Amino acid sequence: MRALYTKLYTCCVALLLITAINVNYASAQQAQINLELQVNESLANSQVINLTNIIASNGSGANLFNIFIENLDTEATAQDLYLNVSLQSDKNGLIADLYQKQGQPFSLDPGQSVFATNNTIENGLPGVEESINFDGGLTTQGEEFVNDLGGSTKLPPDRYVIQIDIYQNANGRNGGVLLATAQAEIGGGIVDEVRDIFLTSPGDAVGSEAEITNPYPEFRWEGGINTQYRLIVVEANNQDGPETLIQSSVSTEPILENGSPGTGSLLQYEILDVRIQGTSFQMPPSGVQNLEEEKLYYWQVFAELSSSSGTDIRNSEIWGFILKGHGAGLTISSGGELGAALQALMESGELQELQNGGFKLGSIVIDEQTISGPAMLQRLIEFQNKVNNGEITIVNN
């Protein structure tokens, strides 16, 4: 009896050893995985990127990137797979590192392929039974990086790399075998500095009662380059404050979009609402509501920066001005070719076309002072506006 027990025990031990050897062999068989990563355009082209939008503590967040995973083996299941997501930069190294929890792998059937986004990973991969749970987050370098931001979560200009890794048998922290990796760069569109917007003309701060005489003023401000701006001009109505009037205008779409007609329309008290590239805008003589003498107007500029979470809006302060009356008109009497040339130039509208086309003239002489370049063109346009408004009359003798 004792001999039979000994034989049975020996057989059981041998069976367990054989089973263990087979299990080790199966888990060690390396899977064949194809991995692709694509960053969404909203992130790749962003001028402002929020760190929390890229790597959240649970692996989710805004829909920023897509991943494609495929088991290239059409006969064997790819088992014990682990997903890693990381963010690093040239200046700071590894900023964030998310790795799938050890002991909770996923698998892919033979030939199976899955498509997912960063926003759906936490709920698992489509068609995959196992859930995806992450550990990790900001690294030590990442915590120093965030501290250096001084409370801001906006990424400074740098080359940032999002990387996806797939390991087998364990996650990257626990010595797994790296099967596939994919990278994508972001940060190329981040503005060097999000500058404040400083208005320069026309008018001055609200309450200054600043006066202007040009009914077609050029609005100018200082701000960042390569930035899209929205300019809004409204008329005071003695009921609502300037902030209320302008914010109501913001709720509608502009009437001009970078030189082309927009989809919006002007409100009753709204004079101008345009979206442009650059830091100036010449009020046109048509297509907008005209300024009226002795009335008070407010204007404000908004910088519209593309962001990883939509659009990041930065606004200037609000300025105001009053359009004063023109008084008696000025008559220029000139004979021969000069009078004919001035009259033809004013009536043709060519000055505005020259400005729109970026044409550069040489120079003009006014009161023995030579004016050249853009300043000269602006003086001619102002001259044309006064002619159009009846302030100046050209008489060709």
Side-chain angles (χ1 to χ4, degrees), residues 276-338:
I276 56 174
Q277 293 279 347
T279 56
S280 66
F281 181 79
Q282 178 72 49
M283 185 169 178
S286 62
V288 298
Q289 298 195 60
N290 294 327
L291 301 179
E292 298 182 21
E293 295 180 7
E294 306 302 330
K295 287 192 174 181
L296 173 62
Y297 298 93
Y298 302 113
W299 66 289
Q300 189 173 25
V301 173
F302 301 85
E304 299 179 329
L305 303 173
S306 58
S307 168
S308 55
S309 56
T311 302
D312 195 81
I313 303 296
R314 308 295 174 89
N315 59 276
S316 71
E317 63 177 328
I318 300 176
W319 272 23
F321 60 84
I322 297 174
L323 178 62
K324 296 302 293 182
H326 307 302
L330 172 65
T331 298
I332 295 180
S333 177
S334 179
E337 295 181 357
L338 177 59

Side-chain angles (χ1 to χ4, degrees), residues 16 61 102 113 253 306 313 339 361 370:
L16 289 173
Q102 184 65 22
S113 60
E253 290 299 312
S306 58
I313 303 296
L361 300 178
T370 300

Side-chain angles (χ1 to χ4, degrees), residues 40-54:
N40 287 357
E41 291 186 3
S42 63
L43 177 61
N45 300 324
S46 289
Q47 296 174 291
V48 177
I49 298 179
N50 195 317
L51 177 63
T52 57
N53 289 147
I54 302 176

Side-chain angles (χ1 to χ4, degrees), residues 48-51 145-156 314:
V48 177
I49 298 179
N50 195 317
L51 177 63
F145 170 72
V146 171
N147 290 335
D148 291 340
L149 294 178
S152 171
T153 59
K154 304 295 189 298
L155 296 184
R314 308 295 174 89

